[in-house]
Amino acid sequence: MSMGPLAVALLVAFCALARARPAHPQQQAVLVPAGNAPYAGQVVVRLDCSLLPCHSRFFLEQLETSVISVMSIASGHIDILVNKASYGRVWMRETGYIIVDDVQAVVDQEMSRLAASEQKLLSLSTEEQFAPDVWFSEYHRYDQIVAWFKDLAAKHPDLLTFIPSIGKTYLNKDIIAVKVGSSVNKRTKPQLWFHSGDHAREWIGPATVQYLVHSLISDYSQDPTLLDSAELIIVPLMNVDGYEHTWTGNRLWRKNRRPIKNDFFGSVGVDLNRNWPAHWGEGGSSNMPFSDTYMGPSAASEPEVKALISFFKNDNHTRLIGAIDLHSFSQLVLRPYGWTQNPAPDEFHLKTAGDGIRDTIKKTSGKKYVSEREIDLYKASGTASDWFYDEEVQEWLPDRRLYAFTIELRPSAEESNGADGFILPPTEIVPTGQEIYAAVKGYVSYALKNPLLV
């Protein structure tokens, strides 16, 4: 949009606020005391994009270098997390309105619900807890997720291989992986990669991966097509440290948990999906450690990113033809590139596959996902999906490129109220899993028939 005098004046005021650096929940110390309320006094404000140049590169760069936390971006608005006192500023009242008046109350309500649910689960035997109707009725801690995958692999050793560690997090937690596939053409069939949990607060991602694995195994006897045709390599939870922190200290935490050395503000964490060595630091990320989108001191500086890269480029993974990174939220199917307006060499097939994912979801659940290039939503560099598609992987696999996507899961930016978009009710786990399972089957089929050979 063009910037009139009002928009320019408002943007100048916004920039002044963006560079003011009060205490912010993303700057907490590593250990948060019990009873801490990191979002006390915080509200979610919806900014009207008809009054602000929300999707201009300059505006988004101001957000990226600020202490303002962006909760969601839609075509007509942007939801931001700010201190309620900031809303008293004239420019913000002129361009937006509060949609969540007390973020801490939303978080507290969810944590109370989880505590009660956990007590109910603890009254059950392990076998009862792992029953699908119980397991998929709730979100789970890291240790529980590990135990669930171990149990599933023990029950289905012909279809599921559990890998106890592909590397360590900053806090020395194991990053697990699994491989799903039948014995048919085991050493020759194509492979596809999936991972989730880059961003700690996006709980629906790991839950959806769990549902995907469960469904592939449960349906194999009736429909063996996918697992006889391909092997799926899956990292269910990348950011283990951050994920655990969302259960114990800060529900809306995004980054990993590595303290940033020599940072004046004592900031903690790097945005793992801005740290991949794919045009790292070329826009759409921040070099400010307190930012939600802090890209880290160098490309692949973080142990979690290093672990996934090392595992991805394993000698046993040279049959990869596609890779998907699952996030939330906004209901988007994003294809390369995120760092440049130049079209990807395989734009036709990427768009066709992405549109197919979108259409399958709509047919399965009625939910509307948007299929688009990531750069058409916002600029982002150092992302996993661009790394899957770009130079380093192509040098490793010189005869092909990969069908690379980021999928942003439920809810849509229009349906959510900012903070509650990340606090998706557990009743959404199964329907989200069902629509993604259906979409993955179509995606794998298309990729197998149309490999991106070069």
Side-chain angles (χ1 to χ4, degrees):
M1 62 174 285
S2 60
M3 290 182 62
L6 174 60
V8 172
L10 292 172
L11 185 55
V12 169
F14 169 81
C15 293
L17 174 64
R19 289 192 170 87
R21 293 169 184 168
H24 185 275
Q26 295 286 25
Q27 293 174 217
Q28 291 185 100
V30 176
L31 298 177
V32 178
N36 185 273
Y39 294 96
Q42 300 282 315
V43 299
V44 176
V45 174
R46 176 159 293 175
L47 299 178
D48 185 345
C49 290
S50 69
L51 299 174
L52 284 169
C54 295
H55 299 283
S56 75
R57 179 176 177 180
F58 177 71
F59 183 84
L60 291 173
E61 284 179 349
Q62 295 303 316
L63 286 176
E64 289 149 11
T65 58
S66 75
V67 297
I68 291 174
S69 182
V70 179
M71 308 308 285
S72 68
I73 300 176
S75 58
H77 67 260
I78 292 182
D79 294 344
I80 61 172
L81 179 71
V82 296
N83 189 284
K84 191 168 186 177
S86 299
Y87 184 68
R89 299 173 184 243
V90 173
W91 77 269
M92 195 176 295
R93 285 189 279 107
E94 291 289 336
T95 60
Y97 56 94
I98 292 175
I99 58 173
V100 180
D101 186 64
D102 188 342
V103 174
Q104 188 62 51
V106 174
V107 171
D108 290 344
Q109 182 178 10
E110 171 65 359
M111 302 317 287
S112 296
R113 186 197 67 75
L114 284 165
S117 177
E118 187 172 21
Q119 288 301 311
K120 290 181 181 179
L121 288 173
L122 289 174
S123 68
L124 304 176
S125 68
T126 300
E127 193 66 24
E128 290 171 327
Q129 290 181 38
F130 290 169
D133 59 333
V134 176
W135 183 258
F136 294 112
S137 69
E138 189 54 270
Y139 298 101
H140 303 281
R141 298 283 295 270
Y142 162 73
D143 287 342
Q144 296 169 317
I145 294 170
V146 172
W148 182 82
F149 274 111
K150 282 183 178 179
D151 181 76
L152 199 64
K155 291 174 178 173
H156 302 279
D158 53 330
L159 297 176
L160 183 63
T161 301
F162 176 80
I163 301 169
S165 183
I166 65 168
K168 299 282 191 177
T169 67
Y170 170 76
L171 294 177
N172 206 38
K173 293 280 190 179
D174 288 311
I175 303 171
I176 66 168
V178 297
K179 294 185 179 182
V180 195
S182 73
S183 60
V184 177
N185 300 321
K186 187 173 181 67
R187 300 190 182 279
T188 58
K189 60 190 173 188
Q191 300 165 311
L192 296 103
W193 170 281
F194 295 83
H195 82 260
S196 69
D198 314 51
H199 295 149
R201 61 195 179 189
E202 298 170 9
W203 289 7
I204 190 60
T208 298
V209 167
Q210 294 158 46
Y211 188 87
L212 173 63
V213 173
H214 158 77
S215 298
L216 288 166
I217 292 172
S218 298
D219 291 352
Y220 179 74
S221 60
Q222 288 79 35
D223 183 7
T225 305
L226 194 156
L227 296 185
D228 283 354
S229 303
E231 179 182 60
L232 274 56
I233 303 165
I234 300 173
V235 179
L237 179 54
M238 177 186 187
N239 184 6
V240 178
D241 297 344
Y243 181 79
E244 278 296 286
H245 186 61
T246 61
W247 283 81
T248 60
N250 183 332
R251 176 61 184 85
L252 298 178
W253 186 263
R254 172 182 169 99
K255 302 184 288 184
N256 73 353
R257 294 296 299 160
R258 185 174 69 83
I260 308 306
K261 291 182 180 179
N262 303 317
D263 178 64
F264 177 80
F265 298 102
S267 301
V268 174
V270 170
D271 182 343
L272 297 181
N273 203 37
R274 299 296 186 273
N275 190 241
W276 292 72
H279 296 272
W280 177 84
E282 294 185 21
S285 60
S286 175
N287 61 2
M288 302 294 186
F290 53 75
S291 171
D292 274 357
T293 58
Y294 176 51
M295 61 189 181
S298 61
S301 60
E302 302 313 293
E304 297 87 354
V305 173
K306 289 177 181 176
L308 265 68
I309 288 175
S310 176
F311 183 60
F312 188 96
K313 295 173 69 175
N314 185 292
D315 289 343
N316 294 321
H317 299 164
T318 55
R319 292 171 277 122
L320 280 162
I321 62 170
I324 288 180
D325 182 15
L326 290 167
H327 287 258
S328 72
F329 61 96
S330 287
Q331 295 178 195
L332 303 169
V333 183
L334 303 175
R335 62 185 184 272
Y337 291 111
W339 63 275
T340 178
Q341 286 285 355
N342 294 332
D346 304 290
E347 167 63 12
F348 172 81
H349 280 301
L350 289 170
K351 183 179 187 305
T352 302
D355 290 353
I357 292 171
R358 174 200 65 195
D359 294 345
T360 300
I361 291 172
K362 184 70 184 316
K363 184 177 180 180
T364 301
S365 66
K367 288 293 182 180
K368 180 181 178 182
Y369 280 58
V370 175
S371 171
E372 62 184 331
R373 298 189 309 156
E374 184 163 8
I375 189 68
D376 293 334
L377 179 69
Y378 50 65
K379 189 169 187 179
S381 60
T383 65
S385 57
D386 274 356
W387 184 82
F388 295 147
Y389 186 77
D390 223 349
E391 292 99 336
E392 183 175 342
V393 172
Q394 195 182 349
E395 289 174 6
W396 177 56
L397 302 173
D399 64 334
R400 83 203 78 143
R401 284 183 287 266
L402 304 191
Y403 280 95
F405 293 93
T406 298
I407 298 181
E408 298 278 357
L409 302 168
R410 297 187 183 192
S412 71
E414 283 71 24
E415 291 174 328
S416 74
N417 280 327
D420 66 353
F422 297 113
I423 305 178
L424 191 66
T427 52
E428 294 290 307
I429 293 173
V430 170
T432 304
Q434 289 172 335
E435 67 194 21
I436 295 303
Y437 175 46
V440 164
K441 289 191 286 186
Y443 158 77
V444 171
S445 177
Y446 186 85
L448 290 172
K449 293 174 184 175
N450 304 278
L452 300 179
L453 302 179
V454 296

